[in-house]
Every structure is written in C-alpha cells, then in structure tokens.
C-alpha cells in the first residue's frame, strides 16, 4: 500500500543509519529522504570514490580495498567520517549510508555524536536477499563505471563481508532499542513510504 509521508518539522536532530547490504537501495532512498527531512547524506563509499577520482593519498589507499570488495581500515574511515560531520554543524541531522560497517565504527559514531550531545535516532535496514543484490549490482555495473559492480565474485565477497563484519551493527543498535527492518524489494515509492513510517515514529 502506498502511504504518503507527512511533512514534519522536528525540534530535535534526526540521525539515521540507512543500513543493508550493498545494492539494497540505500543511495536511492537516501536521496529521497534528504529532501523530505532536510538531512545531510553522508555516504562513506561516495566519499572514498571522490578521493579516488582526485587521486589523493586517501583515495589511492582506499582503492586497494575497494577493488577487492574489502573494508577500508576503521581508523581511516572513522577519521574521514569525523571530518565530514564536523564540516557541517548547521544541518538538522544526518543520514549515514554505508557507515558504520563494523562494531568499532558504530562505537566511534556514538562517541562522536555524544561529544555533540546527540545520538543515533534509528537504524533502518533495507532487507534484500543476496540473489537480488547480485543481480541489481551487475545491472548497475553496466553503466555506473564502478569496478566493484562489474565482477560477480567481488560482489559476492562484498555480500560476505557484509554478513561477517557488518550485520552485527544491526544487533549493536537493537540492544539500544533503535534497529528496525524494512522490506527492501518492491517499488521505490513503496519502500520510501515504509522508511518514512519508521522515521515519523522518531519524534512522534
Ligand atoms: P559502498 O559505496 O557503500 O558500497 O562502498 C564501496 C566500498 O567503499 C566498500 O566495498 C568498501 O571498500 C569501502 N567503504 C565504504 N564505506 C566503508 C566503511 N564504512 N568502512 C570500510 N570501508 C568502506
């Protein structure tokens, strides 16, 4: 059923983690959520790709991991994320996409937000099965120009890394009563409506 998201102005910051395996639609949905809720979208994958396209030392380092579908080391990723958050104190909140991907990253994020007297409002997982993800990423690889989207073996490795190292972040925030799951297969609008329904509970 298609629900219409209500326009809402929040008195408090909303800090969301958009969670799910690679190819689950986080980027697509984040772009829509940013407009709806006036949040800053921070995708660590996009930040690394920006560095990579400018051939910076950080980009060159990140490439060696990204090309294999492995995670860039926590220390490097956390410091890049911190710089981005600190550069934008004016926003109503953040959508973290592709971060945190490990428990130490989640702990670092909580600490960073706590320094600013903030916290994560909700983690929402887009639940999409492996075969769907592989098909979506291979299709995206045809025109995205992303090396890590063109090879089925690397895509499966990324999914494996997600299950082994990242899925536990869901449990980390579940222990704080903040994790939710949304069915991530269907029309973009229906999935967006499900996400909005979760977010609208935050300050309801
Ligand atoms: P994404 O665009 O989120 O699929 O990320 C692409 C690649 O960037 C990943 O496969 C990792 O190599 C790297 N990456 C992005 N975010 C992170 C993160 N939070 N921690 C470690 N590596 C990351």
């Amino acid at each position: 059923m298609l629900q219409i998201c209500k326009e809402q102005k929040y008195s408090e910051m909303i800090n969301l983690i958009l969670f799910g395996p690679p190819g689950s639609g986080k980027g697509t949905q984040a772009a829509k959520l940013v407009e709806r809720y006036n949040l800053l979208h921070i995708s660590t994958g996009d930040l690394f790709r920006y560095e990579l396209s400018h051939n910076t030392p950080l980009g060159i380092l990140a490439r060696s991991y990204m090309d294999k579908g492995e995670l860039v080391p926590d220390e490097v990723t956390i410091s890049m994320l911190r710089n981005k958050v600190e550069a934008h104190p004016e926003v109503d909140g953040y959508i973290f996409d592709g971060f945190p991907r490990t428990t130490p990253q989640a702990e670092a994020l909580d600490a960073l937000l706590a320094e600013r007297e903030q916290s994560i409002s909700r983690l929402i997982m887009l639940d999409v099965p492996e075969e769907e993800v592989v098909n979506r990423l291979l299709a995206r690889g045809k025109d995205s120009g992303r090396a890590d989207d063109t090879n089925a073996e690397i895509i499966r490795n990324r999914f494996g890394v997600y299950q082994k190292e990242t899925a536990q972040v869901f449990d980390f925030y579940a222990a704080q009563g903040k994790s939710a799951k949304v069915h991530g297969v269907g029309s973009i609008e229906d999935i967006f409506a499900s996400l909005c329904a979760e977010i609208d509970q935050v300050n309801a």
Side-chain angles (χ1 to χ4, degrees), residues 68-82:
K68 289 183 277 188
E70 301 290 337
L71 296 185
V72 179
D74 281 342
E75 208 181 84
V76 176
T77 308
I78 290 165
S79 119
M80 178 179 73
L81 189 278
R82 172 181 281 274

Side-chain angles (χ1 to χ4, degrees), residues 154-178:
I154 293 172
I155 291 173
R156 288 203 189 272
N157 189 39
R158 286 161 66 197
F159 196 85
V161 167
Y162 170 77
Q163 287 178 314
K164 196 164 141 254
E165 300 184 52
T166 303
Q168 56 196 261
V169 172
F170 184 91
D171 301 331
F172 179 90
Y173 285 103
Q176 299 180 21
K178 292 177 175 171

Side-chain angles (χ1 to χ4, degrees), residues 3-18 28-41 90-96 121-122 124 182 189 191-204:
Q3 289 170 274
I4 307 297
C5 296
K6 57 182 173 186
E7 289 288 350
Q8 213 164 339
K9 184 68 194 162
Y10 290 93
S11 50
E12 285 177 37
M13 303 269 293
I14 296 191
N15 296 312
L16 295 175
I17 298 172
L18 204 48
T28 304
Q29 295 295 338
K32 293 172 72 65
L33 292 169
V34 158
E35 277 190 37
R36 169 71 60 187
Y37 297 99
N38 191 30
L39 306 174
L40 178 71
H41 176 206
E90 76 289 356
V91 295
D92 289 345
Y94 304 94
I95 299 182
F96 298 102
S121 315
R122 243 215 208 4
I124 311 177
V182 156
E189 288 307 326
I191 296 167
F192 179 57
S194 305
L195 287 171
C196 292
E198 281 296 334
I199 296 165
D200 290 343
Q201 286 175 26
V202 170
N203 285 338

Side-chain angles (χ1 to χ4, degrees), residues 21-23 26 43-46 48-49 62-63 65-74 77-78 80 97-102 105 137 140 146 148-149 158 161:
K26 301 188 293 294
S43 153
T44 41
D46 285 350
F48 282 132
R49 279 184 288 279
R63 165 172 263 151
Y65 296 93
M66 294 169 80
D67 281 353
K68 289 183 277 188
E70 301 290 337
L71 296 185
V72 179
D74 281 342
T77 308
I78 290 165
M80 178 179 73
D97 160 5
F99 185 97
R101 259 174 156 100
T102 62
Q105 289 184 14
L137 290 179
R140 183 171 82 181
R146 280 183 58 171
D148 58 348
D149 281 349
R158 286 161 66 197
V161 167

Side-chain angles (χ1 to χ4, degrees), residues 43-56:
S43 153
T44 41
D46 285 350
L47 293 177
F48 282 132
R49 279 184 288 279
Y50 177 84
E51 297 291 332
L52 210 145
S53 70
H54 288 78
N55 251 331
T56 64

